[in-house]
Amino acid sequence: TILGETREGEEDEILPRKDYESLDYDRCINDPYLEVLESMNNKKSRRYEAVKWIVVFAIGVCTGLVGLFVDFFVRLFSHLKFSVVQTSVEECSEKGCLAVSLLELLGFNLTFVFLASLLVLIQPVAAGSGIPEIKCYLNGVKVPGIVRLRTLVCKALGVLFSVAGGLFVGKEGPMIHSGAIVGAGLPQFQSISLKKIQFNFPYFRSDRDKRDFVSAGAAAGVAAAFGAPIGGTLFSLEEGSSFWNQGLTWKVLFCSMAATFTLNFFRSGIQFGSWGAFQLPGLLNFGEFKCSESDKKCHLWTAVDLGFFIVMGIVGGLLGATFNCLNKRLAKYRMRNVHPKPKLVRVLESLLVSLTTTIVVFVASMVLGECRQMSSASPSGNSTLSLEEDMNSSIKTFFCPNETYNDMATLFFNPQESAILQLFHQEGTFSPVTLSLFFLLYFLLSCWTYGISVPSGLFVPLLLCGAAFGRLVANLLKSYLGLDHIYSGTFALIGAASFLGGVVRMTISLTVILIESTNEITYGLPIMIALMVAKWTGDFFNKGIYDIHVNLRGVPLLEWETEVEMDKLRASDIMEPNLTYVYPHTRIQSLVSILRTTVHHAFPVVTENRGNEREFMKGNQLISNNIKFKKSSILTRAGEQRKRSQSMKSYPSSELRNMCDEHIATEEPPEKEDMLQQMLERRYTPYPNLYPDQSPSEEWTMEERFRPLTFHGLILRSQLVTLLVRGVCYSENQSSASQPRLSYAEMAEDYPRYPDIHDLDLTLLNPRMIVDVTPYMNPSPFTVSPNTHVSQVFNLFRTMGLRHLPVVNAVGEIVGIITRHNLTHEFLQARLRQHYQTI
């Protein structure tokens, strides 16, 4: 069970205090970073901040270089394939051997797609665009292997093979995932895949810093893909992080600028041979929208056009909802019939999609394409000279006589970026029939392709499909309504935005991305209107494509806010009352049993409030409230204790070697000292030593069953396992002060992959030894009252990026715990239905 994340940089990083008893309690002790903050003087703090800026810049540069690598080889492989196929088609059109040309195209495409599928077999999380997984990670849920170096290699290589293989996928979407991986791995200066890469880098050993860098890397991926640094920053804010601050905004924007600068510098230098001339800001460039100087009636857009844009937004939302519905059904079918089977079946499915796509492209270009006069394909004077030459060179004359070209082949037998430029900037190039057929074929094949076992992006196919839709609308308005002032490129852009918005349901970030990609601020209002209308229309039917895939994976993703109706619920209605807890001083036997029989990521540290037992049975209202929350957990708690007891039967004998003996010499029990003297020497332990050895039994009285538990803090699973591995314990005849103390660096040494309890050699432990967890627990986590409204709980959980939220009553007794599973929309709906049934 995924329990979500702790507060970014809080619960996962509780600092062990070297001398817990010596803390000055009149100071703020609820900051888990107190030890680090105290140990850092101003000079170290400035150094830490300077290093963070340097690392952020390095993430942007590396993300730009990853984009350059992918773009270079995609262009290389695509140019090689199209050159061979074009020569073969031109020759075979005269000789009548088009079957040979089709076989050559199939050979290229199937080989590339097969290589992409093999890479996904090596690292399954490299499949797809990676945006749903990164969205989950930034929302606070860890997806195993999602930010590994192996994933980056398989993603970058796989996406270039997928695009070069002719699948209707894009390379821009996976750039977001690639940037996030760079952001997660680069600041660690070590790698699990390459174990020889190990640097003693003491900074950023926490989930909070790591998540900040992942946010910066994801934004850099968007900036590199579209040349939109501000849009990348907004994407990371809108779709990603659950906790944000002003300092992070500047760092993310700086990282995005660095990625855009790096990619622009190298691409412009390689393509134009003029280093330092920044002409290609991103992998996908929309070109300059400008009316022809000879056409005085032309306007980019007018007030009248806004009405058409609204209608296009509605249609785009309907088309996007249809796309999402079909893709969801396909995804469910794959989960039932493809994924349970051997992995080879996934490769065969990818090859089947590639085979079908190649045949459809070849046959449609040969049969459905329309031969049009070359003169009508002249540019409209709306582009730069290089863009004009690029569009003219991308016109295909397949299967057409001299002085004519094939409009369907011009769209299908070109890289997707070139086809988008054709739809944006060429006038009179495509017939309405060609655009309709192209849109239908591309729509269906893109929907089928997204979700197969290859790295694949969705942005560019949706933009191309939507551009064809917008261009079709412009042609119809010109032909049937006589609106000569219409600029076809604007309608193609709005169509692309409408369809993309109807599928992904992004708003602010997508608006800015498209504005930055067009370099035309006047398009801001039309794009915003189209995206808003498309989102509202699509949301009426279903969720966005990424949210759908997140839900299909069962990830507990938290929305931005809850529904107003949920305020009828309280924290006591949604919390989990069946608690698994530890004592401040707990035997190793109990800790191992708890860790091996549960999957929880954190455990409350409690003591039994024996002083309240009599008052509890007398009917004290504050204490008797416990019966409401604990009554349902009696049998569950007893069952868990019995299961743990049975699991300990195979525990090694205490006569075996004790790891703790290496650290603790046998000593005589110290003489009892005066309590005042102990407090003056700050050696007084605020928690009693409780070593319960018996499991709950049927003979227990009501007082024993409902014994109140005083809450003292939270301890993480990773911390408990680390303490066991390092032998942090003391014997019964010694004081807890004799227990070895670990520093923060020692506790975080194994980050981010702490040892697992099942890999622990139990023969090295003495089950009767005791672990004092108080120096390592978080003594003051966020807590809520049982009567707190769900909306307040949700806002606290969401804005502070919590992972566990204890529910504590008025007398400091824990009655339950809330995780992100208890705040998902489905869980809240179920509890609300139960609430109505009990009214």
Side-chain angles (χ1 to χ4, degrees):
T1 302
I2 302 174
L3 292 182
E5 289 300 311
T6 55
R7 177 185 179 183
E8 299 171 330
E10 180 175 315
E11 308 294 357
D12 273 341
E13 303 150 7
I14 310 306
L15 299 183
R17 290 166 170 78
K18 296 181 180 179
D19 189 3
Y20 184 86
E21 293 81 7
S22 66
L23 284 175
D24 294 327
Y25 285 91
D26 58 342
R27 301 175 62 184
C28 176
I29 64 170
N30 62 352
D31 187 354
Y33 290 95
L34 180 61
E35 184 177 342
V36 170
L37 295 177
E38 288 179 344
S39 65
M40 285 185 175
N41 54 25
N42 292 334
K43 183 177 179 180
K44 290 183 178 179
S45 299
R46 290 193 298 268
R47 183 189 307 167
Y48 180 86
E49 192 68 14
V51 172
K52 204 166 189 178
W53 280 95
I54 294 173
V55 170
V56 163
F57 177 77
I59 292 172
V61 172
C62 292
T63 303
L65 293 177
V66 171
L68 180 69
F69 168 82
V70 172
D71 180 70
F72 176 80
F73 282 99
V74 165
R75 289 178 178 272
L76 178 63
F77 292 156
S78 298
H79 177 73
L80 174 64
K81 181 185 73 173
F82 285 130
S83 297
V84 173
V85 172
Q86 181 173 355
T87 303
S88 176
V89 170
E90 291 175 351
E91 293 179 356
C92 289
S93 296
E94 300 177 357
K95 300 179 181 179
C97 56
L98 289 177
V100 176
S101 302
L102 177 59
L103 291 177
E104 290 180 352
L105 184 60
L106 283 172
F108 276 108
N109 289 346
L110 293 177
T111 301
F112 288 143
V113 172
F114 178 73
L115 294 175
S117 298
L118 288 182
L119 291 169
V120 170
L121 290 184
I122 298 174
Q123 193 69 4
V125 294
S129 65
I131 295 179
E133 290 80 4
I134 295 303
K135 185 174 180 178
C136 294
Y137 187 93
L138 294 179
N139 189 264
V141 180
K142 286 185 178 179
V143 181
I146 196 63
V147 289
R148 295 277 300 271
L149 176 62
R150 182 187 300 176
T151 306
L152 175 62
V153 175
C154 294
K155 194 81 172 186
L157 293 176
V159 72
L160 67 89
F161 286 130
S162 298
V163 176
L167 293 177
F168 291 169
V169 299
K171 59 180 180 291
E172 282 71 17
M175 278 299 303
I176 301 172
H177 188 185
S178 301
I181 298 174
V182 173
L186 185 63
Q188 302 301 316
F189 287 92
Q190 62 181 4
S191 172
I192 302 297
S193 303
L194 303 176
K195 297 183 179 180
K196 293 184 178 180
I197 301 179
Q198 294 286 341
F199 293 96
N200 185 17
F201 191 70
Y203 301 104
F204 317 131
R205 308 292 293 169
S206 67
D207 275 356
R208 183 188 64 177
D209 287 332
K210 187 174 182 179
R211 192 167 294 119
D212 287 350
F213 288 129
V214 170
S215 299
V222 177
F226 298 97
I230 301 177
T233 304
L234 292 175
F235 172 85
S236 186
L237 171 61
E238 179 184 4
E239 294 292 323
S241 298
S242 58
F243 184 73
W244 198 268
N245 57 66
Q246 186 177 5
L248 180 60
T249 304
W250 275 107
K251 293 180 179 66
V252 170
L253 181 59
F254 181 66
C255 184
S256 301
M257 288 289 187
T260 305
F261 169 83
T262 302
L263 187 63
N264 198 344
F265 177 79
F266 284 102
R267 285 195 70 202
S268 300
I270 294 174
Q271 187 163 341
F272 298 105
S274 178
W275 296 92
F278 298 94
Q279 302 180 38
L280 298 173
L283 299 180
L284 180 62
N285 300 303
F286 292 159
E288 182 182 359
F289 289 78
K290 185 178 179 181
C291 287
S292 174
E293 296 180 358
S294 59
D295 190 356
K296 302 300 181 181
K297 296 181 179 180
C298 175
H299 301 284
L300 290 183
W301 65 278
T302 64
V304 178
D305 297 335
L306 288 177
F308 297 115
F309 296 158
I310 293 175
V311 176
M312 291 176 67
I314 295 174
V315 177
L318 294 174
L319 293 173
T322 304
F323 185 97
N324 293 352
C325 180
L326 294 176
N327 190 264
K328 181 179 180 180
R329 293 179 179 272
L330 283 171
K332 288 183 176 180
Y333 177 83
R334 291 188 177 105
M335 294 173 66
R336 290 193 304 265
N337 301 287
V338 178
H339 294 173
K341 295 182 179 179
K343 294 182 178 180
L344 182 61
V345 177
R346 305 184 189 183
V347 178
L348 295 177
E349 183 196 17
S350 302
L351 294 177
L352 175 62
V353 174
S354 177
L355 175 67
T356 305
T357 302
T358 304
I359 294 176
V360 168
V361 166
F362 195 89
V363 174
S365 300
M366 181 175 62
V367 177
L368 304 178
E370 182 178 337
C371 295
R372 302 172 67 86
Q373 291 297 322
M374 191 71 72
S375 57
S376 63
S378 60
S380 58
N382 57 331
S383 11
T384 61
L385 181 61
S386 60
L387 181 60
E388 177 181 331
E389 294 175 353
D390 182 55
M391 287 190 297
N392 287 333
S393 63
S394 63
I395 293 177
K396 304 300 180 183
T397 60
F398 293 170
F399 319 116
C400 288
N402 295 333
E403 301 301 326
T404 60
Y405 67 94
N406 189 322
D407 57 355
M408 186 72 79
T410 300
L411 295 176
F412 272 135
F413 275 88
N414 271 313
Q416 296 174 100
E417 291 82 357
S418 299
I420 291 176
L421 290 177
Q422 289 282 349
L423 292 170
F424 282 171
H425 300 294
Q426 288 281 17
E427 286 290 344
T429 309
F430 311 99
S431 68
V433 176
T434 298
L435 292 172
S436 301
L437 294 173
F438 175 81
F439 172 80
L440 179 62
L441 295 175
Y442 220 92
F443 180 96
L444 296 176
L445 290 175
S446 298
C447 185
W448 186 21
T449 304
Y450 187 72
I452 62 175
S453 294
V454 296
S456 57
L458 196 59
F459 273 83
V460 175
L462 295 179
L463 286 172
L464 178 54
C465 196
F469 158 67
R471 190 62 180 263
L472 174 62
V473 172
N475 285 6
L476 295 177
L477 292 177
K478 281 185 176 182
S479 302
Y480 295 97
L481 296 182
L483 300 179
D484 296 332
H485 74 280
I486 284 179
Y487 179 61
S488 300
T490 299
F491 276 76
L493 175 64
I494 299 303
S498 301
F499 186 57
L500 180 59
V503 174
V504 301
R505 311 290 164 77
M506 293 163 53
T507 53
I508 302 174
S509 57
L510 186 55
T511 301
V512 178
I513 288 172
L514 294 177
I515 291 175
E516 289 185 280
S517 300
T518 58
N519 293 321
E520 185 63 56
I521 191 62
T522 58
Y523 279 139
L525 181 61
I527 291 175
M528 186 180 299
I529 290 176
L531 286 176
M532 287 191 341
V533 173
K535 174 179 170 55
W536 292 339
T537 305
D539 285 343
F540 185 78
F541 298 96
N542 50 35
K543 294 184 177 181
I545 187 69
Y546 300 133
D547 292 326
I548 287 175
H549 281 266
V550 167
N551 292 337
L552 289 176
R553 290 180 173 90
V555 178
L557 192 71
L558 298 185
E559 304 293 338
W560 281 105
E561 58 186 8
T562 60
E563 300 175 0
V564 177
E565 193 178 18
M566 296 301 172
D567 261 349
K568 296 178 180 178
L569 300 175
R570 299 291 189 270
S572 58
D573 297 322
I574 66 172
M575 69 182 186
E576 175 56 50
N578 301 323
L579 299 175
T580 302
Y581 50 86
V582 299
Y583 295 100
H585 302 261
T586 309
R587 295 189 187 279
I588 287 181
Q589 176 177 358
S590 298
L591 287 181
V592 172
S593 179
I594 290 172
L595 292 172
R596 290 174 70 93
T597 57
T598 64
V599 293
H600 305 314
H601 289 180
F603 304 92
V605 181
V606 303
T607 54
E608 296 177 354
N609 194 356
R610 300 176 184 270
N612 283 342
E613 292 176 4
R614 293 183 179 178
E615 295 297 326
F616 167 74
M617 297 308 296
K618 289 179 181 179
N620 185 299
Q621 185 63 34
L622 289 176
I623 300 172
S624 63
N625 277 339
N626 281 312
I627 209 168
K628 174 183 177 182
F629 307 124
K630 294 183 178 179
K631 194 171 184 179
S632 63
S633 65
I634 302 175
L635 298 178
T636 303
R637 188 189 299 178
E640 289 180 357
Q641 292 291 342
R642 284 194 294 270
K643 184 172 62 174
R644 291 178 199 142
S645 299
Q646 294 175 359
S647 70
M648 297 307 296
K649 291 181 180 179
S650 60
Y651 197 96
S653 170
S654 60
E655 298 176 358
L656 297 177
R657 186 171 71 88
N658 174 21
M659 179 185 294
C660 298
D661 293 340
E662 299 176 0
H663 305 289
I664 305 174
T666 304
E667 299 178 1
E668 295 295 329
E671 297 182 0
K672 294 185 178 180
E673 300 180 8
D674 183 73
M675 184 66 68
L676 177 60
Q677 184 65 24
Q678 292 185 14
M679 295 179 66
L680 291 175
E681 296 178 1
R682 298 192 180 279
R683 289 190 289 106
Y684 173 69
T685 303
Y687 306 110
N689 292 328
L690 298 174
Y691 319 122
D693 294 325
Q694 297 180 352
S695 300
S697 63
E698 285 92 7
E699 289 78 20
W700 276 23
T701 64
M702 185 66 69
E703 296 180 7
E704 291 173 321
R705 289 180 181 275
F706 290 103
R707 180 169 293 148
L709 301 174
T710 301
F711 178 69
H712 297 289
L714 278 178
I715 185 76
L716 295 178
R717 167 182 287 270
S718 60
Q719 294 172 315
L720 291 176
V721 176
T722 301
L723 294 177
L724 293 176
V725 170
R726 294 182 176 271
V728 179
C729 50
Y730 66 96
S731 61
E732 291 180 90
N733 58 355
Q734 292 177 325
S735 168
S736 61
S738 62
Q739 175 177 282
R741 302 289 175 168
L742 297 182
S743 65
Y744 171 76
E746 291 173 321
M747 289 291 289
E749 183 177 346
D750 295 322
Y751 179 84
R753 289 173 178 82
Y754 293 100
D756 187 80
I757 186 62
H758 297 284
D759 299 330
L760 184 64
D761 187 359
L762 299 182
T763 61
L764 303 178
L765 301 175
N766 185 342
R768 302 298 297 176
M769 299 294 285
I770 303 165
V771 179
D772 179 9
V773 303
T774 57
Y776 308 98
M777 72 180 184
N778 179 12
S780 53
F782 288 95
T783 60
V784 293
S785 165
N787 295 320
T788 306
H789 288 279
V790 163
S791 61
Q792 294 175 276
V793 175
F794 189 90
N795 290 335
L796 178 62
F797 209 96
R798 184 69 166 84
T799 55
M800 301 310 297
L802 301 182
R803 179 177 188 174
H804 313 95
L805 187 59
V807 182
V808 181
N809 65 13
V811 293
E813 297 165 357
I814 185 169
V815 295
I817 196 166
I818 296 174
T819 65
R820 62 173 50 242
H821 282 280
N822 304 110
L823 294 172
T824 57
H825 180 74
E826 293 76 13
F827 186 88
L828 292 178
Q829 288 285 355
R831 289 306 171 97
L832 188 62
R833 287 193 294 269
Q834 294 180 7
H835 174 76
Y836 284 137
Q837 292 173 0
T838 56
I839 293 178

